[in-house]
Amino acid sequence: MSLRPRIVNFDETWAKILETLQSVVTLKKIARAVWNDRFSDVYALCVAFPEALGEKLYAEVKNFLENHVQSLYEAISVPDVDILRLYHSHWMQFSKGSFYMNLLFGYLNTHLKKQKQDYGEISPYSISVCPDAMEEVMDVGALALDIWKRKMIEPLKTMLVEHVLIEVKKDRDGEDTHQNIIHDTVLSFVEVQQYQVKGALHLYEEVLEKPLLEETKSYYRREAAELHADNTCHLFITKVDTRIQDEDLRCTKFFHPVSYSRVIRECEARMVEDYIPYLQGECRQMVKDENRPDLAKLFKLLKQIPCGLIAMVTELEEHITKTGLQSIKSIKFENGPQQYIDELLGIHRKFSELIKDTFKDDAAFVSALDKACATIVNYKHDPRRSSKSPELLAKYCDSILKKSTKNLSDAELDEKLSDIIIIFKYIDDKDIFQKFYSKMLAKRLIHTLSVSMDAEEGMISRLKHACGYEYTNKLHRMFTDISISSDLNSSFNDFLSKANASLGVGFSLFVLQSGAWPLGQTTVSPLSIPQELVKSVQMFEQFYNGRFNGRKLTWLQHLSTGEIKVSHLKRPYIITVTTFQMSVMLLFNDKESLSFSDIQEQTQLVEKELVRTLQSLVDVRLIAMSEGSDPTRCTYSLNMDFSSKRTKLKITTAVQRETPQDTEQTLSSVDEDRKMYLQAAIVRIMKSRKVLKHNSLIQEVISQSSARFTPSVAMIKKCIEALIDKQYLERREGTKDEYTYMA
């Protein structure tokens, strides 16, 4: 076939095209050869000589489609017909036919678009065939759908929508409906505008969706009222949940996706939002009873409603707080930290599981748990004192990390340390925890009581992750000192070898930085070092001063320990004792009995410390005390009848026990540290801001301090006054509430 333009008889060619066109719109079978010939005929008309006949062909096609759709409309609009079924049948046939027509007239579409472009009036869906023609023409497929819209949908839209809503109501009432018919009819309101770039959903939203939403509103308002009147809250929320799930499924069966959320939202508004006061009132008892199934259903209903969960979140927070406070108020601290911390962890674990299972870890409920736990953990049993939680948590850590007969496995230990951090994050007074923890860590390191150095470092790493490097800086330095001391002992032994000196005793020590170790709080008794140890002390000081010129060593004998061998009994024993106990025991090398005054004169221990030291030796029956109520007037002698099943003994534990006075001293030092911390924070802030109002300064100080503790406004004011006295700050002239930094 030649593609060259030629003279074409329009009437004969159109007759052939019309015959095929009638088969296409009714989806009748067409032979492939005939179909191919029609493509050629359309092309021939578009490029006909001497005048292209594309415009005339377009006009004939348009006229045919209008007449065809008009005849279909007349068939549907007669009385007593099943309008949805008939409309659906004709629409499915016509929509498919319009697709094939668009393919058949593909060259005509291209031809007219090219003419439009040549005239400088480009439009994706409409073109003009000549400069003077103002009538817009569309692709044949779009033309067919537009004619369907004008000739079929516009006249029938009220009746179609009415029948669609009747069928939807039947489905809501549980009656059988024809899903495909409703679905395809509804989507026809969208598909007739599928060629439009903008406003493709306008007809659907205006004509069908608006009445649908109104009908949904009315239907579920009635439905909710009946359910509320006839059912308990449990049955009400169960049935409402079922109805909403059914409506969600119904939307996917019948409507366009744009309507899914809108219909469901209308359903939820009528069945849930309208009953928020009722549901929130019932919520309190559900939370109190921890009724997980009903709470889960209620959560599912309320989470889609704006601000719907506020009451439930508040109720849960109050319930957790009340339950937790009741649990910890009855605990006796004298029994140790174990029960207290286990109770806190039990509360957190219980309600964490509830929130996970019932509320799917929703952020609002997790936040409520955090607020409630913070209230419980920071509860003050005595309003005049700080919370006991930091101290007890530090003691709990000590019991976990200290060697004992019930050491945990690595997995159990790691789990315990993770649990500790859970409670630690809720503590406001983290500086109190730090103070107690560092004291107990020092004892574990000095007396080698740690269950594992890896566990100690793991705990410090967790604290660092929670509070930052500054919080754990001193703890890291303590570990560094232990490591350096090991190297220092090796160097000291090399020094002794080179000097060809023998100490006569085994001797090792820790050299600790005074700024990192919390060891200066206890009043230390003086001690006259036993003659057996004098050479060791002198040699080490000679070694250390030669290596580190200018450093000063302060000996902490009250923290030192040693091993002595007892050889005066039936069999020898090796006993681990404190330095104070060792000093007393070594006196019995020369005499079997000594008076209290003789012992005190030779050891130079203060009376209180000496009484405690002698009592610890008497308690284990290593020495005997003469009869008398006053230990300072008694005579002490070696117990020649001492015996033990073990050959190695340790009698240092009584000396290491924490006393109430030590606790008070620790808390007092925390107050002093806080004052220094606040003063430093105030200076930093004022140095950067130069001038600042009183309230702004207070707020910034509280903000900077919140990671360690929550300072009182009164304490901040005292620190400001102290800095004014030290001439770091001054009040600005002419104002009462403004400060200036003095460089």
Side-chain angles (χ1 to χ4, degrees), residues 305-356:
I305 308 301
C307 304
L309 293 174
I310 292 177
M312 185 182 285
V313 171
T314 303
E315 291 292 343
L316 182 67
E317 182 181 339
E318 291 176 357
H319 175 66
I320 296 173
T321 303
K322 183 178 179 181
T323 304
L325 291 178
Q326 285 176 346
S327 298
I328 65 170
K329 283 179 181 178
S330 59
I331 296 174
K332 296 180 179 179
F333 299 126
E334 297 78 15
N335 298 334
Q338 182 79 34
Q339 183 185 0
Y340 182 80
I341 300 303
D342 285 347
E343 197 68 40
L344 291 178
L345 289 170
I347 293 165
H348 184 272
R349 192 176 295 114
K350 171 186 174 182
F351 287 104
S352 291
E353 290 174 359
L354 185 146
I355 289 171
K356 180 180 179 181

Side-chain angles (χ1 to χ4, degrees), residues 622-736:
L622 198 59
I623 62 175
M625 184 176 71
S626 62
E627 293 184 4
S629 59
D630 187 355
T632 62
R633 297 181 180 276
C634 293
T635 300
Y636 298 87
S637 59
L638 288 174
N639 179 16
M640 296 302 181
D641 297 326
F642 176 84
S643 66
S644 174
K645 294 180 181 180
R646 295 180 294 173
T647 56
K648 287 189 175 183
L649 307 173
K650 187 176 183 180
I651 56 174
T652 60
T653 52
V655 184
Q656 297 172 2
R657 190 173 296 126
E658 185 89 3
T659 65
Q661 291 76 16
D662 292 334
T663 300
E664 289 298 326
Q665 200 168 16
T666 301
L667 292 174
S668 177
S669 69
V670 169
D671 284 338
E672 293 302 316
D673 290 345
R674 286 183 174 182
K675 291 175 184 176
M676 297 304 296
Y677 183 89
L678 291 176
Q679 289 184 27
I682 292 167
V683 170
R684 282 197 306 270
I685 294 167
M686 292 303 301
K687 190 174 182 179
S688 64
R689 303 290 291 274
K690 304 303 181 187
V691 178
L692 202 60
K693 287 187 176 294
H694 176 80
N695 289 339
S696 299
L697 179 59
I698 295 287
Q699 291 302 318
E700 290 205 31
V701 171
I702 291 174
S703 176
Q704 288 195 14
S705 308
S706 59
R708 293 176 64 88
F709 64 98
T710 304
S712 66
V713 175
M715 181 180 284
I716 299 174
K717 287 181 178 179
K718 288 180 180 179
C719 291
I720 293 173
E721 294 298 330
L723 290 172
I724 291 174
D725 293 340
K726 294 176 184 178
Q727 297 185 349
Y728 282 94
L729 310 179
E730 67 175 359
R731 286 187 173 83
R732 195 173 186 186
E733 292 185 10
T735 63
K736 295 181 180 180

Side-chain angles (χ1 to χ4, degrees), residues 335-558:
N335 298 334
Q338 182 79 34
Q339 183 185 0
Y340 182 80
I341 300 303
D342 285 347
E343 197 68 40
L344 291 178
L345 289 170
I347 293 165
H348 184 272
R349 192 176 295 114
K350 171 186 174 182
F351 287 104
S352 291
E353 290 174 359
L354 185 146
I355 289 171
K356 180 180 179 181
D357 297 340
T358 307
F359 305 119
K360 310 304 179 187
D361 275 336
D362 183 84
F365 290 92
V366 173
S367 177
L369 173 64
D370 290 341
K371 290 177 183 177
C373 287
T375 302
I376 298 166
V377 169
N378 295 292
Y379 175 73
K380 296 180 180 180
H381 293 77
D382 183 349
R384 296 167 298 178
R385 301 171 62 87
S386 301
S387 169
K388 296 287 290 182
S389 294
E391 176 188 349
L392 292 172
L393 186 63
K395 290 179 178 178
Y396 182 80
C397 290
D398 188 55
S399 67
I400 297 297
L401 294 169
K402 187 188 293 183
K403 289 179 183 176
S404 68
T405 56
K406 298 180 180 179
N407 286 337
L408 303 171
S409 67
D410 290 344
E412 291 173 330
L413 184 60
D414 189 66
E415 183 180 353
K416 290 284 187 184
L417 296 181
S418 297
D419 288 342
I420 288 168
I421 293 298
I422 290 174
I423 305 301
F424 172 76
K425 288 181 177 179
Y426 292 121
I427 289 176
D428 287 341
D429 297 326
K430 290 183 171 61
D431 56 338
I432 295 179
F433 172 87
Q434 182 193 41
K435 186 68 71 172
F436 279 100
Y437 184 87
S438 61
K439 281 187 65 178
M440 295 170 189
L441 173 62
K443 287 184 179 180
R444 293 197 298 273
L445 294 178
I446 290 172
H447 299 295
T448 61
L449 297 174
S450 293
V451 67
S452 155
M453 294 303 285
D454 288 340
E456 294 282 9
E457 291 182 10
M459 183 62 196
I460 292 175
S461 295
R462 286 176 166 87
L463 293 173
K464 178 182 176 181
H465 185 265
C467 287
Y469 175 76
E470 182 185 353
Y471 187 81
T472 58
N473 184 27
K474 289 185 178 181
L475 305 181
H476 283 294
R477 286 162 61 190
M478 290 163 69
F479 270 92
T480 303
D481 285 350
I482 297 297
S483 176
I484 292 174
S485 294
S486 177
D487 298 335
L488 206 57
N489 281 309
S490 298
S491 300
F492 178 55
N493 291 330
D494 294 341
F495 169 79
L496 293 174
S497 298
K498 291 178 182 178
N500 199 23
S502 176
L503 300 178
V505 294
F507 184 79
S508 65
L509 49 84
F510 295 124
V511 178
L512 314 175
Q513 301 176 62
S514 59
W517 293 74
L519 306 175
Q521 298 173 8
T522 307
T523 302
V524 182
S525 170
L527 174 69
S528 178
I529 300 174
Q531 197 62 37
E532 292 84 350
L533 300 178
V534 171
K535 184 177 180 181
S536 301
V537 172
Q538 291 175 346
M539 290 297 292
F540 185 81
E541 286 183 341
Q542 180 184 341
F543 158 75
Y544 193 82
N545 291 333
R547 187 164 182 174
F548 302 103
N549 187 26
R551 291 190 183 179
K552 181 183 178 182
L553 288 174
T554 301
W555 294 88
L556 303 176
Q557 289 94 350
H558 68 292

Side-chain angles (χ1 to χ4, degrees), residues 166-340:
I166 290 172
E167 294 299 315
V168 170
K169 185 177 183 302
K170 285 182 181 179
D171 192 80
R172 286 171 175 164
D173 291 337
E175 300 179 26
D176 292 334
T177 56
H178 300 288
Q179 176 183 335
N180 292 339
I181 293 177
I182 301 173
H183 181 261
D184 294 335
T185 300
V186 167
L187 290 191
S188 70
F189 285 72
V190 178
E191 291 173 3
V192 292
Q193 295 183 309
Q194 63 181 285
Y195 288 93
Q196 294 183 12
V197 175
K198 295 181 180 181
L201 295 173
H202 179 74
L203 177 67
Y204 170 82
E205 291 174 335
E206 289 297 318
V207 174
L208 196 147
E209 189 183 70
K210 280 187 177 181
L212 169 64
L213 294 177
E214 285 297 321
E215 174 60 26
T216 301
K217 179 178 180 179
S218 301
Y219 182 87
Y220 283 110
R221 178 179 282 132
R222 294 190 302 270
E223 179 74 7
E226 292 175 5
L227 292 177
H228 179 250
D230 298 339
N231 296 281
T232 62
C233 184
H234 166 76
L235 291 174
F236 177 76
I237 61 176
T238 301
K239 292 183 178 181
V240 166
D241 181 47
T242 302
R243 295 297 271 165
I244 292 175
Q245 290 184 50
D246 291 345
E247 190 65 27
D248 188 43
L249 179 62
R250 186 173 297 109
C251 286
T252 59
K253 288 195 307 182
F254 292 155
F255 311 130
H256 187 271
V258 73
S259 297
Y260 293 174
S261 61
R262 297 170 185 173
V263 173
I264 293 298
R265 178 70 189 90
E266 193 63 52
C267 176
E268 291 171 341
R270 302 290 73 80
M271 302 198 79
V272 181
E273 191 170 356
D274 288 354
Y275 292 86
I276 287 264
Y278 166 69
L279 295 174
Q280 290 177 343
E282 296 291 329
C283 164
R284 177 170 298 177
Q285 190 61 39
M286 291 182 196
V287 172
K288 185 178 180 180
D289 297 339
E290 295 178 21
N291 185 341
R292 296 193 181 193
D294 282 357
L295 284 174
K297 291 175 182 176
L298 189 57
F299 166 72
K300 184 179 177 182
L301 295 177
L302 293 177
K303 71 176 181 179
Q304 304 298 336
I305 308 301
C307 304
L309 293 174
I310 292 177
M312 185 182 285
V313 171
T314 303
E315 291 292 343
L316 182 67
E317 182 181 339
E318 291 176 357
H319 175 66
I320 296 173
T321 303
K322 183 178 179 181
T323 304
L325 291 178
Q326 285 176 346
S327 298
I328 65 170
K329 283 179 181 178
S330 59
I331 296 174
K332 296 180 179 179
F333 299 126
E334 297 78 15
N335 298 334
Q338 182 79 34
Q339 183 185 0
Y340 182 80

